Amino acid sequence: MSILLLLLFCASLFFGSRPIPVLQAALDVARRADTVVALILTEVRLPRALIALFAGATLGLCGAAMQGLLRNPLASPGLVGSASGAALGAAVMLYSGLAASFWLALPAGGVAGALSATLLVYLLAGRSAGTATLILAGVAVNSLALSLISLLINLAPSPYAVREIVLWMLGSIANNSLDDFWLMLPGTLLGWLLLAGSGRSLDALTLGEESARTLGVAIDRLRWRVFAAVALAVGSAVSVTGAIGFIGLVTPHLLRPLVGHQPGKLLTVSALGGAILLLCADIAVRLFPAGTEIKVGVLTSLIGAPFFLYLIMKSRRWQT
Amino acid sequence: MADLSLLAADRVSLRLGDRTILSSLSLELHAGEMLGLIGPNGAGKSSLLKILTGIHNPSSGQVTLHGSPLQQIDDRQRARQLGYLAQAGTAHWPISVERVVALGRIPHLGNWQQATPADRAIVAETLRQTGLAELAARPFPTLSGGEKARVLLARALAVQPTIILADEPVAALDLSHQLEVMELLRAQCDNGGAVVVVLHDLRLAVHYCDRLQLLLAGETLAVGDPGSVINDENLQRAFSVRVRHSGQSLLDAFALSWTRSGQS
């Protein structure tokens, strides 16, 4: 999988609206020559590939962690409010015009929104809440955030703000710079780091919370850790890319049989898988004829939803 | 006496809302001993077991393990010493039997540490011991109720704990497997460990347990060797049953009259 990921990452550098001699460009960059192709490589292609890689890995990893923690195959990284919170934060920034005047405002708003939405879910559900209560609190906060976004769109001062908010919500990594990448990096890495050591505890949860407790897992601490990690990582990634659906939900499903359904081992594999899927999707949107730009978030949802249906049908056959 | 006990509960109470589940209940467990918790449904047996494992904290009173309060012991260290066998277990993912049993090694591994060959050998030996070697690759959710119960016992044994706390471990099992499981628990005691087991079958309780503790409405009605606990008055009070035992002692009426004829 790592090799495939590497290949896709390189391939991602080769595709674009215009073919450029990538190797020549790389040489130019190495020689610090300011040619146009070198600029395209470092300012357009490279950030795009890096962001797809990191955002995809984050979504896959966080999806696997959430599904393991809640022991629910329908859990997605957005379940505890991080994605919709980030969207609300970003929408507020776009609505108020702050995003246009201050380049840090959009991602900062996204991360702040993700963290506060997650915190709200946690406070609503209570410290030692069961899984069902947590999911319900997540659904409530998600719909609150979405309705507030609708309100913002409704009250938007100009059609321009509406367009900005809607386009952002479609999810895209087309027009990001390296600055955007550096902006999302600390949050995502911190989130990854928090999740990295939690694999074994997620394994212990396979037989339920009581059983995990008797295996020495402090459930409350684990939950805090996963929630904080998902809010940080998804919040940072989503504030740069916009809403990208279904990667976090579908990737763990696809790969679970590969690791014998062990939630711990699924983490790394899902991170790789998420990155692969998003790189693929982002390459695919570039293959459409120039002029008809499809947002990558739209594509992942378009492919993800029917695919998810197929997975449900398959698992139903397995159960009966 | 208290100093010698491996595990002790000292006047523990458990209240949920305004309902009292356990009131000022004490218990002692010594090395090499199998203690049977018996009593009618709702007497508080499972709740007591969950307090002994640290899943629930008591509303008052305290549990000590080797003389130290349970709440002060590090989670993982506690998990290495107390193996818990839940009443029913569901796996949320279709992981294999072998991997379920291997979960028992988690308390022995650090967050970043891989299972060692020694861990894998313990898992393999536990599978063999519990007669599950042939099922090792089967997904856990596809097993029958009885097979699942044995896998969960194997999971608890793989921890290699000093003490096993088992909540109705034979409820789903056929006659032969009931005996097999009780003998495995007995072996745990004979190897220097100890067991607290919740049982509904009084014949198994009388046959395998060194001492019985009879609970009724969250309190201890009687505790001691089976002969002193199983008497007409206690059975009448706890279960509202009268046992017909004309011509033989009451304990004989609960004698186990079957043995395993060979390996199943």
Side-chain angles (χ1 to χ4, degrees):
Chain A
M1 280 181 85
S2 313
I3 296 170
L4 179 61
L5 184 60
L6 199 68
L7 285 176
L8 278 166
F9 181 80
C10 295
S12 173
L13 298 175
F14 280 87
F15 286 97
S17 51
R18 247 165 256 278
I20 62 163
V22 175
L23 293 178
Q24 178 62 46
L27 280 175
D28 286 352
V29 174
R31 276 193 269 115
R32 297 179 181 279
D34 281 339
T35 58
V36 177
V37 282
L39 266 175
I40 291 183
L41 185 68
T42 54
E43 295 301 316
V44 180
R45 301 278 171 87
L46 190 64
R48 191 167 181 167
L50 279 173
I51 288 172
L53 181 79
F54 275 75
T58 296
L59 291 171
L61 173 69
C62 292
M66 287 302 294
Q67 292 184 3
L69 179 73
L70 300 175
R71 302 181 303 289
N72 191 325
L74 291 174
S76 67
L79 189 75
V80 289
S82 48
S84 58
L88 178 61
V92 168
M93 292 302 164
L94 291 167
Y95 173 83
S96 60
L98 271 175
S101 52
F102 179 45
W103 64 282
L104 241 173
L106 188 62
V111 174
L115 284 173
S116 19
T118 306
L119 193 67
L120 185 61
V121 168
Y122 206 83
L123 292 176
L124 269 178
R127 198 167 157 266
S128 51
T131 307
T133 321
L134 270 173
I135 294 178
L136 286 176
V139 170
V141 169
N142 273 333
S143 32
L144 179 70
L146 288 178
S147 57
L148 287 176
I149 294 173
S150 305
L151 183 70
L152 284 179
I153 294 177
N154 194 189
L155 296 178
S158 69
Y160 176 72
V162 173
R163 196 185 130 79
E164 283 288 291
I165 294 176
V166 172
L167 279 183
W168 184 89
M169 284 179 68
L170 294 181
S172 170
I173 40 184
N175 300 314
N176 294 121
S177 64
L178 262 186
D179 284 342
D180 290 321
F181 172 68
W182 294 124
L183 218 58
M184 72 179 262
L185 195 62
T188 41
L189 286 185
L190 198 61
W192 291 10
L193 206 65
L194 278 171
L195 287 178
S198 63
R200 188 142 287 139
S201 305
L202 293 178
D203 281 340
L205 268 171
T206 300
L207 294 175
E209 288 192 7
E210 277 187 3
S211 200
R213 236 179 261 266
T214 63
L215 288 171
V217 175
I219 302 287
D220 293 346
R221 239 181 312 167
L222 175 70
R223 208 180 264 162
W224 254 120
R225 187 169 161 161
V226 173
F227 274 28
V230 169
L232 264 174
V234 173
S236 311
V238 166
S239 8
V240 166
T241 63
I244 291 177
F246 280 97
I247 298 248
L249 187 61
V250 169
T251 312
H253 273 279
L254 265 176
L255 301 173
R256 199 164 273 127
L258 217 67
V259 290
H261 299 266
Q262 296 179 94
K265 285 203 176 136
L266 188 60
L267 293 180
T268 321
V269 179
S270 282
L272 289 175
I276 288 176
L277 282 184
L278 192 52
L279 274 170
C280 282
D282 190 46
I283 292 174
V285 293
R286 282 180 257 175
L287 294 178
F288 284 101
T292 54
E293 195 207 343
I294 300 252
K295 299 279 185 194
V296 71
V298 177
L299 185 74
T300 57
S301 300
L302 267 179
I303 297 173
F307 185 73
F308 194 61
L309 277 176
Y310 160 76
L311 285 176
I312 293 171
M313 308 281 270
K314 212 174 84 177
S315 76
R316 205 174 58 181
R317 255 207 308 279
W318 180 78
Q319 275 162 2
T320 48
Chain B
M1 200 64 177
D3 296 337
L4 293 173
S5 58
L6 278 181
L7 183 68
D10 183 25
R11 284 165 294 171
V12 294
S13 299
L14 179 66
R15 281 178 289 276
L16 293 177
D18 31 338
R19 235 158 38 94
T20 301
I21 313 290
L22 300 172
S23 59
S24 199
L25 208 148
S26 295
L27 174 150
E28 271 182 20
L29 181 70
H30 307 284
E33 181 179 57
M34 187 178 317
L35 173 68
L37 289 181
I38 55 173
N41 294 127
K45 306 181 295 291
S46 298
S47 300
L48 178 58
L49 216 58
K50 283 179 186 171
I51 285 181
L52 292 176
T53 54
I55 293 176
H56 290 332
N57 288 329
S59 314
S60 63
Q62 78 169 4
V63 176
T64 52
L65 177 63
H66 295 296
S68 315
L70 198 59
Q71 279 143 314
Q72 289 173 16
I73 302 174
D74 167 71
D75 285 334
R76 193 171 294 165
Q77 203 184 339
R78 188 199 66 217
R80 281 198 289 262
Q81 299 191 50
L82 292 175
Y84 175 64
L85 181 53
Q87 218 172 61
T90 46
H92 295 268
W93 313 110
I95 69 172
S96 70
V97 165
E98 186 178 9
R99 290 193 170 122
V100 171
V101 176
L103 293 179
R105 299 309 297 164
I106 287 180
H108 299 271
L109 298 170
N111 270 341
W112 303 93
Q113 199 183 342
Q114 290 297 312
T116 63
D119 290 312
R120 282 192 283 274
I122 289 167
V123 171
E125 171 58 19
T126 313
L127 283 168
R128 196 195 56 74
Q129 210 182 358
T130 46
L132 293 166
E134 282 164 25
L135 298 179
R138 279 268 297 276
F140 183 80
T142 66
L143 302 180
S144 74
E147 288 166 340
K148 280 182 187 163
R150 283 157 58 212
V151 173
L152 293 176
L153 172 68
R155 209 278 289 142
L157 288 173
V159 178
Q160 297 194 317
T162 322
I163 300 166
I164 290 184
L165 303 147
D167 199 351
E168 295 189 39
V170 296
L173 301 182
D174 63 47
L175 280 183
S176 168
H177 283 120
Q178 287 185 14
L179 300 186
E180 186 186 317
V181 165
M182 291 310 292
E183 278 158 20
L184 280 168
L185 292 177
R186 189 66 249 178
Q188 164 80 10
C189 303
D190 297 340
N191 295 331
V195 170
V196 182
V197 55
V198 173
L199 287 169
H200 276 301
D201 190 330
L202 296 184
R203 290 165 303 187
L204 292 176
V206 167
H207 187 80
Y208 285 102
C209 294
D210 301 300
R211 284 192 308 133
L212 296 179
Q213 186 153 354
L214 173 58
L215 304 191
L216 180 64
E219 292 180 44
T220 301
L221 185 63
V223 59
D225 60 83
S228 69
V229 173
I230 302 292
N231 61 42
D232 286 308
E233 190 199 344
N234 285 343
L235 292 184
Q236 174 72 36
R237 279 185 64 190
F239 300 102
S240 308
V241 295
R242 213 190 312 274
V243 182
R244 285 190 294 274
H245 53 101
S246 50
Q248 58 178 350
S249 77
L250 179 60
L251 214 52
D252 285 341
F254 284 106
L256 206 59
S257 51
W258 60 89
T259 53
R260 285 206 296 158
S261 57
Q263 282 301 314
S264 57

